[in-house]
Amino acid sequence: MNKLTAAQFVKKWSKIELKERTTAQTHFNDVCALIGHKTPLEADPKGEFFTFEADTEKPEGEQGWADAWYNNRFIWEYKGPNKSLEKAYQQLLLYKDSLGNPPLLITSDTHTIIIHTNFNNTVKKTHVITLDTIADGDGVDLLRRAFNDPASFKPAETPEQVTSASAKQFVQVANLLQRYEEKKLDPERLAHFIVRLLFCLFAEDLGLLPEKAFTQLVRQNLPQEQFRLSLKNLFAAMRAGGMFGPIRIPHFNGGLFDDDFVPDELPDILPSLRDVGSQDWSSIDPSIFGTLFERILDEDKRKRAQLGAHFTSKDDILLVIEPVLMQPLRDKWQNVKLEAEGLTRDGKGKKAEKLLREFSDEVAAVRVLDPACGSGNFLYVALRQLLDLQKEIITLAARLKLNEIPLTVGPGQIYGIEINSYAHELAQITVWIGYLQWRTENGFAEMDEPILKPLRQIEHKDAIIDLKTGEEPEWPEVDVIFGNPPFLGGKRLRTELGDAYVDALFQLYDGRVPREADLVCYWFEKARAMIEAEKAKRAGLLATNSIRGGANRKVLERVKETGDIFWAQSDREWILDGAAVNVSMVGFDNGSQTTAMLDNKIVGIINSDLTATTNLTLAQSLMENLNIAFMGVTPAGPFAIPPETAMKWFKSNSENKKVLRPYFNGQDITNRPREVWIIDFGVGTTQEEAQKYKEPFDYVVRSVKPAREKQRSTITQWWLHERSRPEMRNAIKNLNRYIVTPRVSKYRIFIWAIGTSLVDSATFVFARDDDYFFGVLHSKPHEVWALRQGTSLEDRPRYTPTTTFETFPFPWAPGKEPISDPKVKAIAEAAKQLDDFRTRWLNPPADEIGPKALAKRTLTNLYNALTLYREEYKGKMRMPESFKEAVNGIIGLDEIETLDHIHTKLDHAVLDAYGWAHNLSDEQILEKLLALNLERAG
């Protein structure tokens, strides 16, 4: 192995100009000698991992040779004097996939060596080595690392980090313009101008806008009016191509530069633009830039947050894009690839080429729609996937030495609908930036002009209703519909969207989407109708996981009536504006796909509640369960008062007891009770009657009436609760106690409430006062039924009187239980033991426990401990100290064992009442309950 000093290397190569391929190999061998590394011939005589002239296939269909290749380290390409090393780099981008996509791409003309990083999910970096840096600098060290430790070149920054920094800086410019121009300019015009600035930054860093023309203009520090006129001239040149001073500007247009508009007046944005220009805009990640920008820019961020305009990561987007859009194409590609390879081996190259061309044309003809596209991140990711697939086809044709197959996948296949002005503009630019980046990164940088084409198929309108006509907006005919429509609960539609909009929406979709359904359901119904009308083939949409139950589930039931669900993620954690929510992802078609996958497992069928087992969506409401379960009251105003105030009013006038009641909500059940009271004048009480209770009425005048007026409430009887639930009151009026449960809770917990109390609408009331009924509700059969029939909020299951309770078949129809039956008595006894145990634990003697320890004694903590015991301790080595430490001392092992025993005893008693075995699985219990439900429903 020869050795060269840095001085010897520089002296030799400073006099030699690269002319012949053999000279390139001599130079490369000298580089090896300079850093003390074996040459390719010495290290790998067979040319298996380190060789000159490695055989490659260029994606555009030509055979190529990499001048030097070192497996999993680098590809090295030489160019002669006065030849562009940028073109050499473009060649490497074409070679890289067929040579294992190594971490480094290196170009050289012997006087200069440029190392380009090629690591996944990192910002691209370059390191330039000259003869000077080899003689006196870090040149030798960089070369040694390239051969021996290429991983040391991996940049620390990710595209996400660069994008976030770039977005924050650019938003300063956008906010200046927005505040300055918002009263003078139409928002769409201003958004169009802002996006132009953004694109200029990107285009010049990608090399599309020559000689940093935009940044040069910004850095000239021109007077405001001169800068404005110069910017108009630049936009005019980009509109049709032309000269901007001495610089020839390519033809861009595409609708983005459809005129030379610059606002007549500009705030002082030059300092911020200079800062922004220092970022590397070629590395921004379009899948998140638009959303970051949109979130900060939007005039009403709070409303956009509520409507679900949030960052969706590329990985999450791919979860939908892959099974819904790409998997059918990939399945077909596997067949096409094998057939083409076989035809070529048999000497039928023309047939193989025809087959590949036809499939390439099919990929380029796929049309996709995101009907709530936001800033375009779903569209961008989908386009890149289609481009990657077509590149595989092009590369295979080259490997099989067939004629060139052109790159034809492009933004014209992308369709979108978006109502927000800024997001609509950003969606178009997100798609274009992603497309141009992909071409540059994959060796297709050369483009015909105009560089941009109009994307009029990304429309600016409401996707679910045209308020001018009252009709449904037309969606374009496409192959696949996907996206992340806005999350907005059915109960908040009027508050957020207004009565006029909601009334029109209800009328338009009457009979198709229940009025209680979340906003996202309208997108599901529109997509379903498109597939039924054969204007789309497949759809994949996101929703909160409440799509699985209640009124929301009706749209999935309609999907299954006219087609089927072939893929779903039933319950996936999601981050929405910093808070965790749980979402469902649903892929559906006309029923043509015969396989189904639920939560990454192949299943026989996916039910409309996004399960693959017992189909509880068949369960019917049972007449025998009606008029038992009710929602609590909705005061709609500050009627609640502290206990001290209530006691004071009692002393003042004992009659006040008639309109003051203990009041609690779901949190009072799961946590320590607040001991709040509520002013309640009942149902239909006149103002004159209410005035008889002076202190309570005066309080309502001072507190409730102004609050109602501020909220522009339409309730005329402001002294009464908005929804006083007369049916519920009538059902419990003769009961000394009744059963309650939180609407949303981590655990399905039931407790007793005294008959004089009142609960809020986040709590459900059961008009029964017997231990037997309490026991059945708190048993395993009812718990597993409630978990499957209900929906959930984040990680907390939601209970409903309709789908959950009214469908549940009790051992005997309510009211017809044989009171003297030993099985009924056994349930009642276990239920009373459960209530007694919990009451004692929640309320120990005052001298037995301190206030801090008492504060931890909540039913949530108790059932957390029970869950931990069952999962980690039950049936294993008994470790009392370990358990007590694990639950922060709130309960001992012996006590939790007692609670577990009582629950087991109760479960067995209820199963005995049904006549079922004690060892049934949850699924077997659900099967039996469904059968009993259908039998009772007739």
Side-chain angles (χ1 to χ4, degrees), residues 632-879:
V633 300
T634 304
F639 286 90
I641 58 172
E644 302 80 31
T645 302
M647 296 306 110
K648 181 180 176 182
W649 291 351
F650 289 161
K651 290 180 181 178
S652 171
N653 184 351
S654 61
E655 287 295 301
N656 286 335
K657 290 184 178 180
K658 295 180 180 179
V659 295
L660 297 178
R661 306 179 71 169
Y663 180 63
F664 59 95
N665 59 23
Q667 289 193 343
D668 290 318
I669 298 172
T670 57
N671 299 327
R672 301 296 302 178
R674 298 168 299 157
E675 298 181 354
V676 172
W677 289 66
I678 192 166
I679 301 167
D680 173 38
F681 293 117
V683 179
T685 304
T686 65
Q687 184 173 342
E688 291 73 21
E689 291 171 330
Q691 285 175 325
K692 296 176 183 177
Y693 307 94
K694 186 176 185 321
E695 291 93 339
F697 186 81
D698 288 347
Y699 179 89
V700 171
V701 171
R702 292 194 309 271
S703 300
V704 177
K705 188 178 181 184
R708 291 263 177 94
E709 290 171 348
K710 188 176 180 180
Q711 296 166 0
R712 298 182 180 178
S713 173
T714 58
I715 304 168
T716 55
Q717 294 178 308
W718 47 264
W719 59 93
L720 299 180
H721 297 172
E722 180 180 27
R723 290 185 176 84
S724 54
R725 313 291 180 195
E727 296 85 359
M728 178 268 291
R729 293 168 183 263
N730 187 59
I732 65 172
K733 66 181 180 181
N734 295 321
L735 301 180
N736 291 323
R737 65 177 186 175
Y738 56 89
I739 304 166
V740 294
T741 192
R743 182 173 63 187
V744 178
S745 175
K746 184 176 181 180
Y747 302 106
R748 185 47 45 206
I749 295 171
F750 298 83
I751 69 166
W752 290 109
I754 59 173
T756 56
S757 64
L758 207 58
V759 300
D760 80 346
S761 59
T763 310
F764 291 124
V765 167
F766 301 86
R768 292 284 295 241
D769 62 355
D770 55 304
D771 291 319
Y772 157 79
F773 204 82
F774 180 94
V776 177
L777 289 178
H778 229 313
S779 69
K780 185 175 184 179
H782 183 252
E783 180 183 24
V784 297
W785 183 269
L787 286 172
R788 272 283 281 279
Q789 283 291 77
T791 56
S792 65
L793 178 64
E794 299 167 12
D795 63 342
R796 294 167 293 151
R798 182 187 279 119
Y799 195 92
T800 64
T802 50
T803 56
T804 306
F805 176 78
E806 290 178 3
T807 59
F808 178 71
F810 283 79
W812 295 274
K816 297 184 179 179
E817 308 87 3
I819 303 300
S820 59
D821 191 303
K823 295 175 182 176
V824 172
K825 291 181 178 179
I827 294 171
E829 179 185 351
K832 189 172 187 314
Q833 288 177 348
L834 174 63
D835 181 57
D836 289 345
F837 175 90
R838 293 191 317 202
T839 300
R840 288 194 303 272
W841 183 81
L842 287 168
N843 305 289
D847 58 350
E848 190 175 294
I849 190 170
K852 288 186 178 180
L854 184 63
K856 295 179 182 178
R857 292 209 173 190
T858 68
L859 288 179
T860 295
N861 285 341
L862 179 64
Y863 282 92
N864 281 338
L866 180 61
T867 301
L868 178 70
Y869 165 72
R870 288 175 168 176
E871 292 177 353
E872 303 292 337
Y873 289 86
K874 187 175 182 179
K876 300 176 183 177
M877 185 180 294
R878 200 169 186 281
M879 298 181 289

Side-chain angles (χ1 to χ4, degrees), residues 494-715:
R494 291 190 180 277
T495 305
E496 302 300 333
L497 303 177
D499 288 337
Y501 185 96
V502 173
D503 289 341
L505 196 65
F506 285 173
Q507 182 177 350
L508 181 60
Y509 289 88
D510 187 39
R512 296 165 58 194
V513 179
R515 298 191 172 197
E516 303 82 9
D518 295 351
L519 187 63
V520 70
C521 293
Y522 294 87
W523 273 262
F524 275 80
E525 168 57 22
K526 280 281 289 180
R528 181 209 63 79
M530 288 282 289
I531 294 171
E532 183 183 26
E534 298 184 353
K535 293 182 178 180
K537 297 173 183 173
R538 298 158 72 86
L541 299 173
L542 275 76
T544 57
N545 64 359
S546 60
I547 193 79
R548 301 174 302 166
N552 294 330
R553 194 170 68 206
K554 298 299 180 184
V555 295
L556 295 186
E557 291 172 1
R558 284 178 63 81
V559 163
K560 289 186 69 69
E561 287 169 7
T562 59
D564 210 350
I565 299 169
F566 62 81
W567 172 85
Q569 295 280 330
S570 64
D571 194 349
R572 184 176 179 84
E573 190 170 283
W574 196 265
I575 301 299
L576 174 57
D577 290 295
V581 297
N582 287 70
V583 301
S584 296
M585 305 176 180
V586 187
F588 51 97
D589 66 357
N590 62 358
S592 58
Q593 179 157 324
T594 57
T595 58
M597 180 167 285
L598 175 65
D599 298 332
N600 304 316
K601 296 178 181 178
I602 295 174
V603 295
I605 190 172
I606 300 176
N607 303 316
S608 60
D609 62 350
L610 304 187
T611 64
T613 48
T614 306
N615 187 2
L616 296 193
T617 64
L618 300 175
Q620 305 293 308
S621 181
L622 301 175
M623 293 291 293
E624 63 205 41
N625 286 15
L626 299 180
N627 301 317
I628 296 174
F630 304 91
M631 182 179 283
V633 300
T634 304
F639 286 90
I641 58 172
E644 302 80 31
T645 302
M647 296 306 110
K648 181 180 176 182
W649 291 351
F650 289 161
K651 290 180 181 178
S652 171
N653 184 351
S654 61
E655 287 295 301
N656 286 335
K657 290 184 178 180
K658 295 180 180 179
V659 295
L660 297 178
R661 306 179 71 169
Y663 180 63
F664 59 95
N665 59 23
Q667 289 193 343
D668 290 318
I669 298 172
T670 57
N671 299 327
R672 301 296 302 178
R674 298 168 299 157
E675 298 181 354
V676 172
W677 289 66
I678 192 166
I679 301 167
D680 173 38
F681 293 117
V683 179
T685 304
T686 65
Q687 184 173 342
E688 291 73 21
E689 291 171 330
Q691 285 175 325
K692 296 176 183 177
Y693 307 94
K694 186 176 185 321
E695 291 93 339
F697 186 81
D698 288 347
Y699 179 89
V700 171
V701 171
R702 292 194 309 271
S703 300
V704 177
K705 188 178 181 184
R708 291 263 177 94
E709 290 171 348
K710 188 176 180 180
Q711 296 166 0
R712 298 182 180 178
S713 173
T714 58
I715 304 168

Side-chain angles (χ1 to χ4, degrees), residues 420-444:
N420 179 272
S421 300
Y422 289 107
H424 173 249
E425 290 286 346
L426 284 164
Q428 298 171 71
I429 206 64
T430 295
V431 170
W432 270 115
I433 286 176
Y435 176 67
L436 296 172
Q437 271 186 338
W438 186 94
R439 290 189 67 118
T440 302
E441 292 167 0
N442 288 274
F444 296 89

Side-chain angles (χ1 to χ4, degrees), residues 193 197 200 214 217 226-236 244 260 262 266 269:
F193 173 68
L197 298 180
C200 286
F214 179 73
L217 173 59
Q226 195 174 341
F227 169 69
R228 195 184 74 81
L229 293 174
S230 297
L231 193 56
K232 283 174 68 74
N233 292 336
L234 176 60
F235 290 168
F244 179 65
D260 63 355
V262 176
L266 287 174
I269 59 174

Side-chain angles (χ1 to χ4, degrees), residues 137-391:
D138 63 353
V140 176
D141 178 61
L142 288 171
L143 288 168
R144 189 174 287 118
R145 286 166 54 200
F147 277 74
N148 300 316
D149 186 18
S152 66
F153 286 90
K154 186 173 184 178
E157 281 186 306
T158 66
E160 288 80 3
Q161 290 168 329
V162 170
T163 303
S164 182
S166 300
K168 287 176 182 176
Q169 285 199 335
F170 188 80
V171 162
Q172 294 176 11
V173 177
N175 280 336
L176 280 171
L177 287 164
Q178 190 184 36
R179 286 195 295 268
Y180 193 78
E181 294 288 350
E182 60 186 359
K183 295 181 181 178
K184 306 173 187 178
L185 280 181
D186 177 77
E188 291 181 48
R189 201 87 194 270
L190 181 58
H192 198 72
F193 173 68
I194 289 171
V195 171
R196 281 181 179 176
L197 298 180
L198 187 160
F199 182 79
C200 286
L201 290 162
F202 165 77
E204 65 178 15
D205 280 350
L206 205 64
L208 297 170
L209 187 58
E211 299 183 38
K212 295 273 189 177
F214 179 73
T215 302
Q216 276 193 47
L217 173 59
V218 169
R219 289 176 179 168
Q220 287 178 29
N221 205 24
L222 298 171
Q224 197 76 337
E225 181 59 17
Q226 195 174 341
F227 169 69
R228 195 184 74 81
L229 293 174
S230 297
L231 193 56
K232 283 174 68 74
N233 292 336
L234 176 60
F235 290 168
M238 297 178 79
R239 179 183 182 185
M243 301 305 293
F244 179 65
I247 306 171
R248 187 202 171 274
I249 303 296
H251 180 187
F252 285 92
N253 201 352
L256 182 58
F257 295 96
D258 50 359
D259 57 30
D260 63 355
F261 170 76
V262 176
D264 292 336
E265 297 180 43
L266 287 174
D268 187 11
I269 59 174
L270 284 173
S272 295
L273 278 176
R274 281 193 291 273
D275 291 341
V276 166
S278 64
Q279 297 285 338
D280 179 8
W281 286 79
S282 66
S283 298
I284 64 171
D285 184 344
S287 71
I288 67 171
F289 179 82
T291 304
L292 288 170
F293 182 39
E294 176 190 344
R295 180 186 291 174
I296 304 171
L297 258 186
D298 201 289
E299 295 176 51
D300 189 354
K301 292 188 281 288
R302 180 186 63 84
K303 186 172 181 180
R304 290 296 300 183
Q306 290 167 340
L307 295 184
H310 56 283
F311 165 56
T312 311
S313 75
K314 194 181 302 181
D315 289 343
D316 285 331
I317 293 170
L318 285 172
L319 270 177
V320 179
I321 295 293
E322 272 299 319
V324 176
L325 169 64
M326 297 306 300
Q327 195 57 54
L329 291 170
R330 295 195 200 285
D331 290 343
K332 186 169 184 179
W333 169 229
Q334 293 302 320
N335 293 328
V336 167
K337 180 166 59 175
L338 291 172
E339 187 177 350
E341 289 171 340
L343 286 169
T344 305
R345 283 194 300 269
D346 294 341
K348 299 176 181 178
K350 287 187 177 180
K351 285 188 176 181
E353 182 182 321
K354 181 175 182 290
L355 184 67
L356 292 177
R357 283 184 179 278
E358 288 175 349
F359 185 63
S360 179
D361 291 344
E362 182 180 333
V363 174
V366 171
R367 304 205 308 174
V368 299
L369 167 68
D370 183 346
C373 67
S375 52
N377 45 8
F378 266 79
L379 295 175
Y380 152 78
V381 173
L383 179 59
R384 284 192 69 104
Q385 296 304 301
L386 292 170
L387 285 163
D388 286 343
L389 180 56
Q390 191 175 48
K391 184 182 176 184

